[in-house]
Amino acid sequence: MNCLSCELKRAFKNRRLFCTVFFGCALTAVQYFLDVLPVVAYLNDYQTDPGLLPHSVFSQWIGANGASPSMAVYITVAPILAAFPYGDSFLSDRQSGYMQTLLLSSSRMKFLLSKYIAVFLSGGFCGIFPLVFNLLLTIATLPSISPVAAMGVFAPSSSSMFGDLFFIHPWGYLLLFFFLEFLFFGALSTVALLVSFFWSNSFLVTTLPFILYFMFSEIVALFGCPQIAPTNFLFPDQVVQYCSSAFVLSVCILFPPISCLAFLLMGRKLETIS
Amino acid sequence: MLKNLLRYDFHSGMENSCYRFFVFLISMSFCVLSFFLNAHQFSEATGVSTAPTFADCIVYLFIGPTSPIFDTVRVSLPRAWMLFYLIVSYLTGDYVDRDLHGAGRIILLVSSSREQWWLSKSLWCIGSVLLMFGTVYLIVGIGCVFCGVFSFSISEQLICSLLGWEIHLPLPLFLLHFMILPFLTATALSTVQMVLSLVVKPIFSFLTVATYYIFSLFFISPFFVANYAIPTHCSTFIQGGVNPFQGVPILVFVIVFSWISGRFILIKKDMLG
């Protein structure tokens, strides 16, 4: 338990995490200033016509507004934001000798598990925090009027994946996507842990999750299967229709235990982790 | 001395980027393959037996966004374009920083000239970008040998069907839009990234340049110099686009300015600290 709390403290109380969160929040704040604040001027125009729907949180926040440059950047670089704060810590711990020192007072399995949990949680946190930040800013500015499918102005339609949930329980829909993104980006950042066994270059280790995510997404989209690209199924605006909810749920739920198992097995297989 | 430095940089830089170059090779091969598959599908669907040309594939890879970028739904970002430029940035990303913390520091001390050391790094960066463009042309050329024809003429029907744009350019303009400006832009932004990595961590310089590339897809302005690498944002193709002829001096200026800034930073930098 000591090992875990120590790892969590190192993961969440570091300058890199602060810088990453700052960069992510600045990026999503740009969307707030470009797309949310300008529509405040039109809010009162709707009071005279009950047939119209005012701009609401669910149509304007970054997750619903894929046409924004900030969202395009965020979708692309999110794995870097997830892996940068603590993804290469296993590598740096091995190189600095900190790990060997820690292993004198803690079991190897405990250390590996603590490391995995810390990287997973920090990755998941940095992956979704900027989106949550933008959502909170938007909530503070626009009314949270429930989306109406008939208006046709909302990014997911009723035929989209979890589309019914969006129109019945929009907050539930957003929470579900945050949860899935948390799991996915958390697990993706732990890919950096796996390659730390083979590589000694921190830049390569930290950027590998991004390269895998980006290359896979772009290549499957080029070959006409955009519905299995994480850049498409992972974000609430759902630019691609017909994403399979079973596929998305299984990817997001199975990815963390598989990466954890792989990391523990690789860590256990090594005679001496140095 | 510069010759020795260059030899070291090209050898060490290639060794450092070996895995990343492989990633680049795989990505670009898939992009080229997707073009030939799409061209084949077009031939089957329309019955028009148009053999795709070298120029067609280059247009497909480097054209950038083909639909209006501002819309109510998420835009379809140009995949091949982004893949190419982001991997170029990724490949040249951390070499200077890594070298400064490794053997490069000793080389710098031995060379006793920071200017020459920096010049060598800059020439390595230009050489790497050139190599990547050469690799893409080679992959496209090999694809043309097997599935098309090696020609610089654009098959208008095929391109119009695949990209929704009618493109008929004379050869000099084709070379400017699809070969010279993309190369200069990639070189300029890689040089800027190299300078940034002297100040911040390489991953942040990469993030900054990636953000800049993506923002350029949305804002048509000479301040976003990556617009010169997007033919569909140039005045040849759209009204109010950036002037491609101004692009060459602007991009050369960015390269020279980056080199001078990098030299200035490097001279002031405490290497042993």
Side-chain angles (χ1 to χ4, degrees):
Chain A
M1 196 59 201
N2 254 343
C3 193
L4 178 63
S5 60
C6 175
E7 283 297 324
L8 286 175
K9 201 172 174 182
R10 286 178 71 209
F12 283 91
K13 272 192 177 177
N14 76 53
R15 212 173 49 171
R16 280 182 175 203
L17 187 118
F18 176 77
C19 291
T20 310
V21 167
F22 179 78
F23 180 87
C25 289
L27 197 62
T28 55
V30 169
Q31 189 273 343
Y32 173 78
F33 288 111
L34 287 179
D35 299 328
V36 179
L37 272 188
V39 303
V40 172
Y42 304 108
L43 280 180
N44 289 335
D45 296 353
Y46 295 89
Q47 286 178 349
T48 50
D49 190 345
L52 293 175
L53 197 68
H55 290 291
S56 84
V57 170
F58 303 109
S59 64
Q60 293 304 117
W61 82 289
I62 193 168
N65 197 340
S68 140
S70 301
M71 185 60 173
V73 175
Y74 192 81
I75 287 167
T76 310
V77 304
I80 299 185
L81 299 184
F84 179 61
Y86 207 54
D88 65 343
S89 63
F90 183 62
L91 177 69
S92 58
D93 285 357
R94 281 173 66 194
Q95 286 176 338
S96 67
Y98 176 81
M99 189 181 80
Q100 286 82 346
T101 315
L102 206 72
L103 285 178
L104 292 174
S105 59
S106 177
S107 78
R108 179 178 298 179
M109 209 38 81
K110 210 176 200 177
F111 168 74
L112 291 174
L113 201 59
S114 308
K115 181 62 83 185
Y116 181 89
I117 292 170
V119 172
F120 177 82
L121 292 180
S122 70
F125 172 77
C126 290
I128 66 163
F129 186 80
L131 294 179
V132 175
F133 174 74
N134 179 278
L135 181 65
L136 292 175
L137 282 179
T138 313
I139 289 171
T141 312
L142 295 176
S144 307
I145 297 166
S146 292
V148 180
M151 298 300 285
V153 294
F154 296 95
S157 67
S158 51
S159 60
S160 304
M161 177 177 64
F162 310 122
D164 292 341
L165 182 67
F166 177 68
F167 290 104
I168 299 166
H169 298 294
W171 294 115
Y173 175 85
L174 296 187
L175 277 177
L176 177 66
F177 267 93
F178 283 142
F179 178 66
L180 294 178
E181 281 167 15
F182 185 88
L183 289 181
F184 187 85
F185 287 122
L188 195 62
S189 63
T190 62
V191 170
L193 285 179
L194 299 178
V195 289
S196 298
F197 286 107
F198 313 107
W199 290 342
S200 56
N201 182 340
S202 165
F203 181 79
L204 285 187
V205 165
T206 319
T207 48
L208 186 78
F210 159 75
I211 283 297
L212 291 177
Y213 160 93
F214 183 62
M215 254 181 77
F216 179 77
S217 297
E218 299 302 294
I219 288 171
V220 294
L222 275 171
F223 284 89
C225 307
Q227 67 274 18
I228 60 165
T231 48
N232 292 328
F233 70 65
L234 214 53
F235 297 91
D237 62 330
Q238 289 192 62
V239 65
V240 174
Q241 301 281 312
Y242 314 116
C243 289
S244 156
S245 53
F247 171 76
V248 173
L249 285 173
S250 46
V251 165
C252 293
I253 291 168
L254 291 179
F255 192 10
I258 290 172
S259 63
C260 181
L261 201 66
F263 179 62
L264 294 180
L265 283 175
M266 284 160 95
R268 205 184 59 167
K269 262 188 172 181
L270 288 176
E271 274 298 309
T272 52
I273 317 174
S274 59
Chain B
M1 194 64 206
L2 182 66
K3 200 175 143 191
N4 287 338
L5 281 171
L6 272 174
R7 196 186 301 158
Y8 164 77
D9 275 327
F10 275 89
H11 182 262
S12 164
M14 283 304 130
E15 206 173 63
N16 184 42
S17 312
C18 193
Y19 142 77
R20 282 174 273 188
F21 191 74
F22 180 70
V23 166
F24 176 77
L25 206 66
I26 297 282
S27 309
M28 287 300 111
S29 302
F30 273 116
C31 290
V32 172
L33 187 66
S34 85
F35 165 74
F36 283 107
L37 285 176
N38 282 329
H40 180 68
Q41 278 172 1
F42 165 78
S43 294
E44 281 199 336
T46 58
V48 180
S49 58
T50 317
T53 65
F54 179 82
D56 294 340
C57 191
I58 295 295
V59 168
Y60 179 82
L61 294 177
F62 292 105
I63 194 160
T66 51
S67 53
I69 209 84
F70 280 111
D71 209 335
T72 48
V73 292
R74 194 196 298 175
V75 292
S76 56
L77 296 168
R79 300 180 192 291
W81 188 94
M82 276 175 69
L83 207 55
F84 177 81
Y85 287 101
L86 292 194
I87 296 182
V88 166
S89 281
Y90 173 64
L91 217 139
T92 51
D94 70 325
Y95 177 58
V96 172
D97 180 74
R98 188 170 155 79
D99 205 47
L100 262 182
H101 294 98
R105 195 192 305 205
I106 297 156
I107 300 286
L108 178 64
L109 289 172
V110 172
S111 72
S112 67
S113 166
R114 292 186 183 207
E115 269 182 37
Q116 285 204 352
W117 187 88
W118 180 240
L119 182 63
S120 168
K121 290 282 179 282
S122 305
L123 290 175
W124 169 82
C125 180
I126 296 170
S128 300
V129 176
L130 199 63
L131 178 73
M132 280 177 269
F133 272 87
T135 309
V136 170
Y137 298 149
L138 189 71
I139 298 169
V140 176
I142 292 170
C144 287
V145 167
F146 291 105
C147 315
V149 285
F150 194 88
S151 156
F152 279 93
S153 64
I154 299 168
S155 320
E156 286 175 28
Q157 232 181 336
L158 174 68
I159 290 298
C160 187
S161 154
L162 291 184
L163 307 170
W165 283 75
E166 282 182 21
I167 298 173
H168 27 85
L169 289 173
L171 186 62
L173 270 184
F174 168 78
L175 293 177
L176 176 71
H177 280 295
F178 291 96
M179 291 176 138
I180 298 169
L181 285 174
F183 169 71
L184 284 176
T185 310
T187 308
L189 290 179
S190 293
T191 322
V192 169
Q193 187 181 345
M194 214 164 69
V195 176
L196 281 175
S197 68
L198 288 174
V199 186
V200 291
K201 279 203 173 287
I203 200 147
F204 269 110
S205 63
F206 173 65
L207 265 178
T208 311
V209 170
T211 306
Y212 187 77
Y213 267 122
I214 299 172
F215 267 70
S216 300
L217 294 169
F218 290 82
F219 301 105
I220 301 176
S221 156
F223 290 107
F224 288 95
V225 291
N227 273 304
Y228 293 111
I230 308 170
T232 51
H233 283 189
C234 288
S235 56
T236 320
F237 290 85
I238 54 161
Q239 255 189 347
V242 292
N243 185 341
F245 299 102
Q246 285 173 2
V248 177
I250 289 175
L251 292 167
V252 171
F253 171 77
V254 171
I255 295 170
V256 174
F257 182 74
S258 309
W259 186 80
I260 294 170
S261 319
R263 179 182 160 275
F264 184 74
I265 294 167
L266 203 70
I267 284 172
K268 298 267 176 191
K269 200 173 170 78
D270 177 14
M271 294 295 175
L272 301 173

